[in-house]
Amino acid sequence: MKKRTSIMLALGLTVGSVLPITAAANTTPYNVTASKDASQFGKDAKVTWKKGQTVPSFVHGKLSTKVYKDQASVKQFLKDNKSLYQLDADKDLTLLDVQTDELGSKHYNFVQSVQGIPVDGAKFKVHTDKNGIITAINGDVFPAASNYFKGNLKAQLTKDAALDKAWKSIHLTKEETLTNAEAGPTGTKFEDTVEKAELVVYKKENDFYLAYKTNLQFIQPYGANWVVYVDAVNGNVLDSYNAVADGATTGSGYGVLGDYKTLNTYYSNSTYYLYDVTKPMSGVIETRTAQSRTVLPGNYSVDADNQFNAVSQGADVDANYYAGKVYDYYKNTFNRNSFDNNGATIRSSVHYSRNYNNAFWNGSQMVYGDGDGVTFRALSGALDVVAHELTHAVTERTAGLDYLNQSGALNESISDTFGVFLDKGDYLIGEDVYTPSKSGDALRSLSNPTLYGQPDNMSNFVNTTSDNGGVHTNSGIPNKAAYLTISSLGTSVAEKIYYRALTVYLNPQSNFSDARASLLAAAADLYGTGSTQYNAVASAWNQVGVY
Ligand code: L5Q
Ligand code: ZN
Ligand code: CA
Ligand code: CA
């Protein structure tokens, strides 16, 4: 350490030996400009400089011998030391307030201003201890701002005009952010939207601008806290950012069928994700895109402004939205927390391959094709298809029905049946995405399986080795039994019987007769042997020839 002779400081303090800035071992604060000679601030004074600034941002130590007990004397201190901060304490600093804390320390809070207009972010604080000794001075001031403007600072834009520019820059109107506000008890809409505008001097690179710092806060169509700096002279947008912190947000989008929906999204690093963290699960519900390839899981589905409104995003939107609906169904109806009943992440990948007319559960995640546009549209656009796929995961973790022959057809039928439980109002599967140019048809019908080439009675069971022993064909038989059960007992009773059979009685090698026996056992547990519910199950399976 180099020893120096004492010098008179700009602060007016006499010091003996002077220490250079000392940082903790091996840690040099990134913003300390090492080349600055800060030693002038005296013995034990710690001084921090930020890159590019011509004045220190923090000086800490015993900075005065005299005592300063009021704002007038503190201002006088600053005047006496004008060369340090290069500011005129009367003209360039505005006292905002003085706070006294529990230690008796006083904190004089100033903001740098130019002709009375605050310099954005230019807070400047002088701190004294209980005796009035100045112990710290910190803040960020920009002496260059003082003489930057020639003549009178005068805004050419009104506040309203600046707000108008700000809304335009984020491609929304205030009215649009109110449209979806919840109606209050009197029918009036709550005004969730807040807009503010304040005239500031704004530093951008090495220039200063007279600007309106505007702030747009709203919840719909996505959660936002925009800060937009609008040049108060020419109306240009100088800078903007959305100050919403990392975390859960509410976004919006359009599904495969063009239907508007709100979405639970996640914001991080200026990017919004189809990533729902709002469920009481240990994992999340997330969607990725395979980008027309067959590599899984692919990249996260993202959006720059939380409005997933591109047509190409419809598949992504619906995959996450409907996965959330299916999660909610299992949680609310059976208190089942995700497919593993342990809160596992539900992952979907969309845009799988090209013109792919199918969807599947691969043992780890759901996968959806976009369809070829003729046989199918994007398959995640149908709640029953999503329910079908996620139910494969539930079956895998419960009954474990082998995907082959009768147990495989049962596996398929369980997925179709829960598809009907979730997508109420019809007994069809895939009607929302099947053959876009033809209405009324579907991939399968539980009420009339023969419409789509499936048997509806054991007498027409198809013996084949293709399609894993006809799993998508013979499922028509248990599907018809499910239809007869639901139409007789209603969804609420039927789903309790089916869920209990699936999670308590069915096994990997269960066949159609075992399914009948499992459902009867479940109905007996819930409603009693010989109850109307029990008898309806027996009747349903009698009608499809399974005993
Ligand atoms: C099927 C799942 C769905 N796929 N049916 C072959 O026949 C074959 C596959 C399917 F999402 F498209 F519905 O159900
Ligand atoms: Zn299936
Ligand atoms: Ca349906
Ligand atoms: Ca159709």
Side-chain angles (χ1 to χ4, degrees):
M1 194 183 297
K2 199 174 161 200
K3 206 170 156 118
R4 299 215 206 147
T5 49
S6 63
I7 50 166
M8 277 300 266
L9 290 188
L11 274 168
L13 304 174
T14 310
V15 293
S17 68
V18 173
L19 303 169
I21 303 165
T22 48
N26 300 326
T27 61
T28 303
Y30 75 94
N31 57 357
V32 170
T33 306
S35 64
K36 288 265 187 197
D37 179 3
S39 58
Q40 58 182 308
F41 297 113
K43 190 176 186 302
D44 301 332
K46 299 250 188 330
V47 183
T48 304
W49 295 82
K50 278 183 187 153
K51 251 200 188 92
Q53 290 193 356
T54 57
V55 296
S57 65
F58 215 114
V59 184
H60 184 218
K62 188 174 185 294
L63 305 182
S64 76
T65 46
K66 263 185 68 183
V67 299
Y68 297 86
K69 296 230 165 180
D70 54 28
Q71 51 171 296
S73 65
V74 167
K75 272 212 166 176
Q76 191 54 52
F77 170 85
L78 293 172
K79 286 179 202 170
D80 294 345
N81 297 287
K82 183 168 190 289
S83 61
L84 176 60
Y85 287 103
Q86 305 157 43
L87 291 175
D88 178 328
D90 283 330
K91 197 162 69 62
D92 302 332
L93 290 175
T94 306
L95 184 72
L96 299 174
D97 60 24
V98 184
Q99 288 167 349
T100 306
D101 66 21
E102 61 281 5
L103 301 178
S105 305
K106 278 192 173 177
H107 312 281
Y108 296 83
N109 297 313
F110 297 89
V111 65
Q112 185 188 354
S113 51
V114 180
Q115 297 179 29
I117 295 163
V119 178
D120 187 52
K123 291 290 171 65
F124 183 77
K125 302 173 178 181
V126 179
H127 312 263
T128 63
D129 66 13
K130 62 179 190 302
N131 300 317
I133 301 294
I134 294 178
T135 53
I137 305 171
N138 75 305
D140 300 277
V141 290
F142 309 95
S146 305
N147 302 314
Y148 187 86
F149 298 96
K150 309 277 170 263
N152 280 351
L153 264 180
K154 179 131 178 53
Q156 301 298 315
L157 253 65
T158 62
K159 260 189 193 190
D160 282 350
L163 284 167
D164 210 49
K165 296 277 186 192
W167 283 111
K168 282 206 170 66
S169 77
I170 62 163
H171 310 292
L172 279 175
T173 63
K174 184 181 181 185
E175 289 63 41
E176 283 171 312
T177 67
L178 297 174
T179 332
N180 298 302
E182 243 178 83
T186 58
T188 53
K189 285 172 175 175
F190 286 124
E191 285 225 355
D192 285 326
T193 299
V194 174
E195 45 174 19
K196 299 180 201 165
E198 176 202 10
L199 208 51
V200 298
V201 168
Y202 181 61
K203 180 177 188 289
K204 183 176 179 177
E205 280 136 30
N206 287 322
D207 292 304
F208 295 91
Y209 298 83
L210 180 63
Y212 283 103
K213 181 181 190 175
T214 70
N215 183 209
L216 309 175
Q217 302 169 2
F218 50 85
I219 293 163
Q220 295 288 357
Y222 59 92
N225 183 10
W226 279 101
V227 176
V228 182
Y229 292 93
V230 179
D231 191 310
V233 176
N234 62 18
N236 287 344
V237 170
L238 295 164
D239 268 320
S240 68
Y241 61 92
N242 183 351
V244 171
D246 266 30
T249 48
T250 304
S252 63
Y254 291 90
V256 171
L257 302 182
D259 48 334
Y260 177 87
K261 44 195 85 180
T262 58
L263 300 167
N264 294 317
T265 57
Y266 194 88
Y267 179 77
S268 185
N269 245 307
S270 307
T271 307
Y272 294 92
Y273 292 77
L274 285 174
Y275 190 94
D276 183 349
V277 298
T278 68
K279 309 297 186 191
M281 60 203 294
S282 36
V284 300
I285 300 176
E286 64 169 47
T287 292
R288 307 205 191 193
T289 171
Q291 293 170 304
S292 302
R293 301 181 63 91
T294 54
V295 182
L296 294 174
N299 301 118
Y300 282 107
S301 294
V302 297
D303 190 88
D305 69 1
N306 214 10
Q307 300 180 77
F308 292 77
N309 49 14
V311 170
S312 63
Q313 291 173 307
D316 312 57
V317 164
D318 276 344
N320 225 54
Y321 184 84
Y322 288 138
K325 292 287 169 206
V326 178
Y327 171 89
D328 289 344
Y329 168 82
Y330 276 104
K331 184 69 176 65
N332 297 337
T333 314
F334 310 116
N335 197 29
R336 184 178 189 85
N337 194 340
S338 191
F339 58 87
D340 67 345
N341 199 21
N342 198 27
T345 286
I346 297 173
R347 180 174 297 147
S348 307
S349 294
V350 294
H351 304 303
Y352 177 80
S353 192
R354 289 185 191 271
N355 299 323
Y356 189 70
N357 284 320
N358 213 341
F360 57 94
W361 167 260
N362 77 349
S364 303
Q365 65 161 106
M366 292 178 282
V367 184
Y368 300 93
D370 286 333
D372 60 9
V374 177
T375 303
F376 276 107
R377 336 171 194 268
L379 280 89
S380 60
L383 174 60
D384 51 14
V385 168
V386 173
H388 176 110
E389 298 312 334
L390 197 45
T391 299
H392 277 311
V394 175
T395 297
E396 179 191 289
R397 301 303 179 100
T398 55
L401 287 161
D402 287 345
Y403 206 61
L404 196 65
N405 303 330
Q406 279 196 27
S407 59
L410 270 179
N411 189 321
E412 269 303 307
S413 177
I414 291 289
S415 274
D416 282 352
T417 302
F418 280 84
V420 166
F421 288 151
L422 266 121
D423 182 29
K424 297 179 185 14
D426 62 68
Y427 290 98
L428 302 173
I429 296 298
E431 69 281 358
D432 289 346
V433 290
Y434 189 65
T435 58
S437 66
K438 185 175 176 189
S439 69
D441 62 348
L443 184 60
R444 284 184 287 277
S445 166
L446 276 68
S447 56
N448 192 356
T450 62
L451 283 178
Y452 303 107
Q454 292 187 299
D456 65 355
N457 190 284
M458 248 348 239
S459 59
N460 293 320
F461 186 92
V462 177
N463 270 298
T464 174
T465 53
S466 66
D467 187 27
N468 284 20
V471 297
H472 293 97
T473 306
N474 290 315
S475 59
I477 297 164
N479 272 0
K480 181 69 181 259
Y483 157 72
L484 293 167
T485 305
I486 299 165
S487 59
S488 164
L489 300 177
T491 296
S492 171
V493 168
E495 66 195 1
K496 290 181 179 67
I497 295 171
Y498 269 84
Y499 186 74
R500 185 165 177 83
L502 179 68
T503 55
V504 175
Y505 294 111
L506 286 167
N507 287 313
Q509 299 195 17
S510 294
N511 62 17
F512 290 0
S513 284
D514 293 319
R516 173 190 171 117
S518 296
L519 288 158
L520 283 171
D525 293 345
L526 294 167
Y527 305 104
T529 311
S531 61
T532 56
Q533 294 88 343
Y534 181 97
N535 291 336
V537 173
S539 168
W541 289 86
N542 289 343
Q543 290 177 69
V544 300
V546 174
Y547 301 96

